[in-house]
Amino acid sequence: MPVLAEEPTVSLPPGHDPRLDAIERKVRDGVRLTEEDGLALYETRDVHRVLAMADLVRRRLHGDVAFYNVNRHINYTNICALSCKFCAFHRKKDQDGAYEKSTEEIVRDVQGAAAAGATEIHMVGGLHPWLPFQWYLDTLRAMKAAVPQIHIKAFTAVELVHLQRISKRGSEGYEGMKAVLRDLRDAGLGSLPGGGAEVFDDRVHDEAFKGKIRGDHWLDVHRAAHELGLNSNATMLYGHVERRPERVRHMRLLREQQDHTLRGWAAAQGIRADADGGLVLTGPASAYPRNRLPMPGQDGLTTGYFQTIIPLPFYPNESELERLPAPTGLENLRTLAIARLMLDNFPHTKAFWIMQTLPMTELMLGAGADDVDGTVVWYDITKAVGEGNHQETSVRDLTKAIRDAGFTPVERDTLYRRVQRDGATWRVAN
Ligand code: V47
């Protein structure tokens, strides 16, 4: 008798994971999730239920709106005193491909961006070994003088610590950082991007980006910015040498800092903290008698705050960690959804389309993301698709992707205010 070939294994549907029942109740009731809950969301086979919970939260906050902006990234130099293992962007001074842009070139970029209708410049770079602090102030002033309306979101916490050092305020600690930020703000800095956070963990730090500031220092820089009224974002670079519990802890640390930052605002809004001082902004509507989310200019808002979490999947290509596999699409979706669920006091969750790709971004809009970032992009740091660094999409393509995913596109400025536009001319809507 012929031997029958073995039945191919069929992967069974995930079935019911009872751990998710209690988590879902918490999400529905607006009760904060623990780190253990966060890990359960990572471990469960029922990833679709995780995505659905994140979608519930996202719709409570933003309905079917998905935000995008018209922006331009400027990387003023790739010359960097550091050599982080995950980074394929940095160069040493005499290395092939090293560059630094002059203030004049940057101003031309800003003018070009404004002519194309950009509302925002996102400007970051390496830790340049000899540009003086004055160059940064002069460059910001020149950018603003050329296009006063443009919002400059610039300098990661890592660069800001470098600027503190070169401005000779390194020995002044936290107050020195505030003085640096005050000078930059007065020269035209509008907010801080979320880069340089990586994963807040000392083991991961020492293995993958030794030399960079540690997590507590990154958080201090953002706290100083918030105290000065500057808003900021936060990233999490995952899928390299970190483990899932370290990601969940990273989210918890960001959430705790935001609790402190928004305490005064929440009291003015009649929002009650939980027994541990946690401010959950993702619960049912009845818990928010006035505003659910902070917005610039609101009563009782005297500080800046974290606006959005941006989970960044690791791209191994050309980095020292090239041997590692990039995270899978499913892991990216799951991580985005968990960030939405854990960061219950962050107004926004961004699927940065440049790094997630546009098709994945469409899926992410139904899994917790409410923002896709910008259109006018010349992006140097990672390449998700194709060759070269010209990674631009038109408003038409971006809004089509948002609509195809079943959402309503809304243009925002850097501070998430709605934008009214007539060609390249724009203003913040009332
Ligand atoms: O800080 C570097 C990351 C970040 C790799 O605030 C890498 O709105 C993946 O922070 N694979 C810069 N990631 C990007 C960033 C950002 C992007 C979009 C919007 C905002 C915002 C911020 O890119 C770096 C680092 O964490 N990065 N190398 C890599 N190989």
Side-chain angles (χ1 to χ4, degrees), residues 219-379:
L219 286 165
D220 275 350
V221 173
H222 282 252
R223 185 158 57 90
H226 296 161
E227 282 176 16
L228 292 174
L230 294 167
N231 281 3
S232 73
N233 297 332
T235 54
M236 177 178 77
L237 174 66
Y238 65 93
H240 45 95
V241 304
E242 93 297 349
R243 301 185 192 111
R244 284 165 158 183
E246 290 150 353
R247 294 182 204 169
V248 175
R249 183 166 168 273
H250 180 95
M251 297 177 199
R252 201 251 298 156
L253 290 169
L254 285 169
R255 182 173 82 180
E256 272 174 17
Q257 176 143 320
Q258 182 87 321
D259 283 339
H260 292 288
T261 306
L262 288 180
R263 188 174 293 161
W265 166 83
Q269 301 300 323
I271 299 172
R272 289 173 53 171
D274 67 19
D276 302 315
L279 283 174
V280 178
L281 305 181
T282 51
S286 55
Y288 310 98
R290 288 191 273 280
N291 297 297
R292 181 199 281 270
L293 297 179
M295 278 296 279
Q298 250 169 21
D299 274 359
L301 187 62
T302 54
T303 64
Y305 51 90
F306 285 122
Q307 306 183 120
T308 181
I309 174 72
I310 311 150
L312 298 173
F314 172 55
Y315 274 83
N317 291 1
E318 293 170 38
S319 78
E320 260 189 77
L321 299 177
E322 202 160 29
R323 67 182 189 283
L324 297 176
T328 63
L330 200 57
E331 188 71 1
N332 292 341
L333 264 176
R334 192 196 283 266
T335 299
L336 192 287
I338 295 173
R340 179 59 284 170
L341 291 165
M342 290 296 292
L343 288 164
D344 53 27
N345 54 14
F346 271 51
H348 302 280
T349 306
K350 186 186 288 191
F352 182 37
W353 73 265
I354 291 272
M355 275 156 89
Q356 301 283 8
T357 74
L358 214 41
M360 274 301 288
T361 298
E362 290 183 21
L363 284 174
M364 286 176 172
L365 288 173
D370 61 277
D371 184 25
V372 302
D373 201 73
T375 51
V376 187
V377 185
W378 200 278
Y379 197 64

